[in-house]
Amino acid sequence: MNILKISALELATICKNSDASEAIQRAVEGAQHIEKLGYERIWFAEHHNMPHIASSATSVLIGHIAGKTNTIRVGSGGIMLPNHTPLVIAEQFGTLESIYPGRIDLGLGRAPGTDQLTAMALRRNNLNTSFYFKDDILELQKYLDENNVDAKVRAFPGEGLDIPIYILGSSTDSAYLAAELGLPYAFAAHFAPAMLRQASAIYHEKFQPSEYLQQPYFIICVNIVAADTVEEARFLSTSLFNMFAGILTNLRKPLSPPTEKPIYDGIPEIEQAVQTMVSCTFIGTEKEIRENVLTFAEEYQADEIMTTNYIFDNQKRLKAFDIIAKALIQN
């Protein structure tokens, strides 16, 4: 197995008693910190109509973070392509790549990243766009291709630029598509782990080499909560569990300080639902993180592990990135 790469997923999550400006500054600090530690990339996820997430204008945020860092790759995890025209995304990411050459990734997802009413507002009543996900990817690739010079519609900047495209997903559909198109594949096990085993098997078995990629490249996104002691890590993890409980019960709140017990303690239905949703979560010290994540990565044939970090206290959040780096990044 090749050396496992480590990266981070960031939503610019707004903390309790904070705002979007502070959330974005926290994302900047996190990106600068993990860059020094040797993380491969930091990706930002497109979400809409969510008052406690500040990453809705994903391309703008990517540019801001790339401008505040020097070497780490910065990209989308992902751009929800059905919300946009391929030409607009080719131009936006062509612009980003022109400003920050060799550092921009374009991860693409099929989901709306929001509720159906907001999706309708984004897509101007055309809710069928997700059915054309493959076609839209092919169109986007055409706009970025150096051989598109004779087309009547071209992307400037964008045409001829080397912007790696990744397929994102949480189902077997995305696994089949990434394999068919010969593209790297990132699986959202941090909140939708149910089909991880099937998706990994399909992607690796069905993969067809392309001009972009000769062999499968598989990223798995998971939750990691690291601290100096197991007890502290478990305590810090309640912020993550409480956040997911809010999502499941539609009582969304900002990222909040940890609690002695999860807020749903003693409510079996919510306990089970949260545990199912976050079963790909690793909690502990450097030792536990190393042992458990490496075993997990080998089992699912991961080339890269992407971690979330939903720790409320910023210094403990940065410390967790340190511990993850010591555990998993081979210098």
Side-chain angles (χ1 to χ4, degrees):
M1 182 176 175
N2 296 328
I3 293 176
L4 186 69
K5 292 181 179 178
I6 306 300
S7 55
L9 178 70
E10 175 67 70
L11 276 67
T13 306
I14 298 173
C15 294
K16 186 177 181 180
N17 299 323
S18 185
D19 59 20
S21 295
E22 290 185 25
I24 291 169
Q25 181 55 35
R26 183 169 142 120
V28 169
E29 291 175 18
Q32 292 171 335
H33 191 74
I34 66 173
E35 179 176 67
K36 295 173 185 173
L37 295 171
Y39 282 63
E40 181 73 13
R41 70 188 90 242
I42 183 167
W43 280 0
F44 292 86
E46 177 186 342
H47 290 282
H48 300 278
N49 199 26
M50 296 184 184
H52 311 306
I53 292 176
S55 59
S56 56
T58 317
S59 301
V60 176
L61 192 53
I62 289 168
H64 180 63
I65 299 295
K68 297 287 186 179
T69 51
N70 298 301
T71 56
I72 192 169
R73 297 193 67 88
V74 188
S76 58
I79 289 290
M80 299 298 112
L81 191 53
N83 296 343
H84 313 273
T85 66
L87 177 60
V88 165
I89 296 304
E91 291 171 339
Q92 287 180 0
F93 277 76
T95 302
L96 287 168
E97 176 65 21
S98 297
I99 302 171
Y100 309 106
R103 293 182 55 207
I104 301 300
D105 294 332
L106 177 49
L108 301 171
R110 187 201 307 259
T114 188
D115 57 89
Q116 287 299 305
L117 198 61
T118 308
M120 191 177 295
L122 286 163
R123 300 175 186 179
R124 307 300 291 270
N125 299 324
N126 184 9
L127 290 179
N128 294 322
T129 49
S130 61
F131 295 112
Y132 306 106
F133 186 48
K134 176 184 173 182
D135 294 335
D136 283 349
I137 292 170
L138 295 175
E139 184 179 344
L140 178 53
Q141 288 178 321
K142 184 187 74 173
Y143 287 132
L144 297 175
D145 194 328
E146 62 182 2
N147 297 315
N148 198 46
V149 291
D150 294 326
K152 292 187 176 179
V153 179
R154 299 165 67 186
F156 303 116
E159 187 176 294
L161 296 181
D162 182 17
I163 304 169
I165 290 176
Y166 295 74
I167 302 295
L168 277 58
S170 58
S171 70
T172 54
D173 288 348
S174 54
Y176 279 113
L177 181 59
E180 178 190 346
L181 297 180
L183 292 172
Y185 179 40
F187 191 91
H190 61 299
F191 75 92
M195 294 188 182
L196 172 60
R197 187 175 300 279
Q198 292 168 275
S200 174
I202 289 165
Y203 176 62
H204 286 95
E205 290 168 9
K206 303 289 186 182
F207 182 84
Q208 299 177 25
S210 69
E211 62 180 292
Y212 309 104
L213 195 65
Q214 288 302 299
Q215 57 188 22
Y217 190 86
F218 189 39
I219 302 172
I220 307 177
C221 189
V222 300
N223 304 300
I224 303 179
V225 183
D228 286 332
T229 67
V230 173
E231 291 73 24
E232 184 186 12
R234 286 176 179 160
F235 176 63
L236 295 175
S237 72
T238 56
S239 294
L240 179 150
F241 294 141
N242 291 339
M243 183 191 71
F244 276 108
I247 293 170
L248 287 165
T249 57
N250 203 29
L251 297 170
R252 298 171 186 265
K253 295 179 179 179
L255 186 67
S256 299
T259 51
E260 286 301 324
K261 294 180 179 179
I263 56 174
Y264 51 83
D265 185 58
I267 308 175
E269 300 83 11
I270 301 179
E271 286 181 355
Q272 184 175 356
V274 171
Q275 287 307 312
T276 299
M277 193 175 187
V278 297
S279 61
C280 290
T281 299
F282 301 90
I283 301 168
T285 66
E286 179 184 338
K287 177 177 180 290
E288 284 84 24
I289 299 304
R290 179 184 296 113
E291 292 174 356
N292 295 333
V293 173
L294 290 179
T295 299
F296 171 86
E298 185 173 358
E299 180 179 356
Y300 291 102
Q301 302 181 71
D303 300 284
E304 182 172 333
I305 292 292
M306 181 170 282
T307 179
T308 66
N309 189 331
Y310 291 113
I311 294 175
F312 177 81
D313 181 279
N314 197 44
Q315 292 309 307
K316 291 180 179 179
R317 174 175 175 265
L318 298 178
K319 178 68 179 294
F321 280 132
D322 291 341
I323 294 169
I324 294 166
K326 290 177 183 174
L328 300 173
I329 295 178
Q330 300 179 30
N331 296 313

